[in-house]
Amino acid sequence: MSLRKIAVLGSTGSIGRQTLDECARHPERFRVTALTAHSNAGLLFEQIRQFRPQIACLTGGKPVTVPPEDISFCRFYAADQLERVAEDCDADDLMVAVVGVAGLRATLAGRKAGKRILLANKETLVAGGSLVMNACREENGQPTLIPVDSEHSAIWQCLQAAGPNRVSKIYLTASGGPFRTWAKAEIDAADCAQALKHPTWSMGSKITVDSASMFNKALEIIEAKWLFDVAPEQIQVLVHPQSVVHSMIGFEDGAVLAQLGVPDMRVPILYAMTYPERLNSGVPQPDFAALAQLTFEAQDPQRFPALKLAYEALGMGGAACAVLNAANEVAAQAFLADRIRMGKVYRVVSETLARLGAPDAGSLEAVLEADRQARAVAKEILEQVEA
Ligand code: NAD
Ligand code: MG
């Protein structure tokens, strides 16, 4: 593999920082050409000094009108120009590591400009699945979109060994989050501080809350449906508290392939960056003797009803998944701000979905309109449940 130019959208986040760590580990393989962040200008400037990209953008927060003098080598945008950076940057690969549906336009713009998409940002695929998959068809037999989410990377890795055989089942593993063993009433009353104590993964705050509510796994069911073109009923969620089996695929003959590793995102991040090659990611292999056991449980729809909503939204079609995603973004934000307890997150999402159903999803504008409507309805419901 020759040197690849990479742009990192969301470089100050958990995935963004780990992506840059891997770039620094293999300077002969990666050249960082663009960086964006929504906040934390200080860290963004440090990253610009270290990686010397040609373009950078602070997409949110307090606008920085005058960037520091020592980054004058870099074209710096102080306003929300995510899409423009995705389009204009000189990069082979676009690591989309922003959080939320904000990544959708940029992903499509980057793809249109010929970049290969390394997709961590699952909300983009949940909201705009059909648009994104249409834009990311194979080119000359090569993928133009590679998943970064650990479960989907695991499935992708297993698929390398599937040959022409049809996959009959996808087993999506879930750690179960911090409330795995809690009673329903305790989960419903849980607050943000309790939800942020994830047992196995260290991640950004929104996805950590999603893992506690199980909406993360709901989003991942939808993500898997689009990435692997399987029917929703072929996707089964399995609770696996050790987070060592990252996911599995099953075949008609009864065989199952799994991908294993310690829970560390640097593996799927670097694999997306180097596919189909493997390089040293700095992550050791699991110590199986110390682990002693790997366990699996069925998921419990009574205590974690979010998963059922994912299957319902997929069944509804249209922009129902965009509605689910937008309502969940609103509810997760309110939960993070300590405005509601965990039980209300599900209520906001399920009532928004029931109210809006499946709006048109035929174009980017239609999907973004469904997203806007869902946010408005979710905010109304939020005010009612808060009262
Ligand atoms: P994070 O909150 O740590 O970082 C998000 C990054 O995006 C930051 O750089 C932030 O400044 C930027 N950002 C936030 N809001 C933005 C907006 N509206 N527009 C543009 N940029 C914005 O999040 P993270 O944990 O790194 O997750 C990023 C994405 O990757 C999410 O979609 C998440 O679901 C997915 N993901 C994360 C992990 C993980 O381990 N962290 C694992 C799998 C998938
Ligand atoms: Mg995941």
Side-chain angles (χ1 to χ4, degrees):
M1 191 183 85
S2 53
L3 181 96
R4 286 190 78 89
K5 291 179 274 187
I6 182 166
V8 184
L9 308 185
S11 64
T12 56
S14 163
I15 295 288
R17 291 192 313 265
Q18 294 179 84
T19 302
L20 291 180
D21 285 349
E22 294 307 319
C23 292
R25 185 184 306 279
H26 298 287
E28 73 295 354
R29 305 296 286 263
F30 306 110
R31 161 101 181 84
V32 178
T33 56
L35 295 174
T36 81
H38 206 60
S39 56
N40 202 346
L43 178 56
L44 177 62
F45 293 143
E46 267 177 45
Q47 292 177 336
I48 295 172
R49 287 182 192 107
Q50 184 181 353
F51 292 95
R52 303 187 71 81
Q54 297 148 356
I55 309 183
C57 179
L58 187 63
T59 53
K62 240 195 278 156
V64 178
T65 40
V66 187
E69 255 175 43
D70 65 345
I71 64 155
S72 58
F73 57 85
C74 170
R75 189 151 34 108
F76 183 79
Y77 300 127
D80 192 351
Q81 302 280 358
L82 193 66
E83 206 180 329
R84 183 161 162 201
V85 172
E87 198 172 322
D88 288 358
C89 66
D90 174 21
D92 304 302
D93 294 330
L94 194 63
M95 171 62 78
V96 187
V98 302
V99 60
V101 79
L104 178 57
R105 270 186 192 281
T107 299
L108 292 173
R111 185 62 217 118
K112 204 165 169 198
K115 276 107 188 170
R116 187 172 71 166
I117 307 297
L118 314 182
L119 193 65
N121 175 226
K122 66 193 81 184
E123 295 92 342
T124 276
L125 212 42
V126 171
S130 141
L131 300 170
V132 174
M133 294 315 289
N134 276 333
C136 296
R137 294 181 192 282
E138 281 191 352
E139 261 176 20
N140 309 318
Q142 293 302 315
T144 61
L145 182 153
I146 303 183
V148 172
D149 207 349
S150 60
E151 296 77 1
H152 305 76
S153 172
I155 295 162
W156 173 276
Q157 292 178 53
C158 291
L159 282 170
Q160 310 308 312
N165 296 299
R166 206 177 65 84
V167 171
S168 60
K169 194 150 181 177
I170 284 181
Y171 298 91
L172 265 189
T173 52
S175 71
F179 306 143
R180 180 174 66 88
T181 57
W182 290 28
K184 179 162 171 47
E186 290 172 332
I187 298 171
D188 286 351
D191 67 14
C192 174
Q194 293 168 310
L196 287 177
K197 289 185 193 136
H198 197 280
T200 49
W201 291 96
S202 156
M203 311 177 284
S205 57
K206 193 257 178 185
I207 184 174
T208 306
V209 165
D210 285 351
S211 300
S213 67
M214 278 283 186
F215 269 107
N216 182 50
K217 213 48 61 179
L219 301 180
E220 290 185 355
I221 290 170
I222 301 168
E223 189 185 9
K225 179 246 161 336
W226 286 112
L227 282 171
F228 307 115
D229 192 24
V230 288
E233 56 274 16
Q234 288 175 285
I235 306 170
Q236 182 187 341
V237 171
L238 266 183
V239 177
H240 168 51
Q242 297 83 13
S243 299
V244 168
V245 174
H246 295 311
S247 275
M248 310 187 266
I249 59 176
F251 299 92
E252 260 156 349
D253 63 355
V256 175
L257 296 181
Q259 187 261 343
L260 284 72
V262 295
D264 190 318
M265 285 306 294
R266 288 176 296 169
V267 176
I269 289 171
L270 186 62
Y271 188 67
M273 290 161 68
T274 59
Y275 164 86
E277 244 188 285
R278 292 183 188 272
L279 294 184
N280 177 7
S281 66
V283 179
Q285 289 171 21
D287 179 348
F288 288 102
L291 267 169
Q293 57 175 359
L294 299 178
T295 59
F296 300 92
E297 304 159 15
Q299 49 88 17
D300 178 353
Q302 251 54 55
R303 292 182 306 132
F304 296 104
L307 298 185
K308 198 167 49 78
L309 272 194
Y311 291 106
E312 270 173 38
L314 280 172
M316 289 158 86
C321 293
V323 169
L324 177 148
N325 177 67
N328 181 55
E329 286 194 32
V330 169
Q333 205 172 31
F335 180 80
L336 272 167
D338 267 329
R339 284 175 59 190
I340 51 171
R341 296 296 174 106
M342 186 50 93
K344 299 280 171 70
V345 170
Y346 174 76
R347 224 177 113 185
V348 170
V349 182
S350 60
E351 288 183 20
T352 306
L353 191 62
R355 221 183 298 159
L356 282 178
D360 174 39
S363 66
L364 174 60
E365 287 323 314
V367 169
L368 294 176
E369 179 53 28
D371 175 86
R372 271 190 292 273
Q373 279 184 21
R375 279 168 203 274
V377 170
K379 281 177 187 160
E380 268 176 40
I381 297 169
L382 187 63
E383 278 171 21
Q384 290 162 13
V385 301
E386 256 184 325

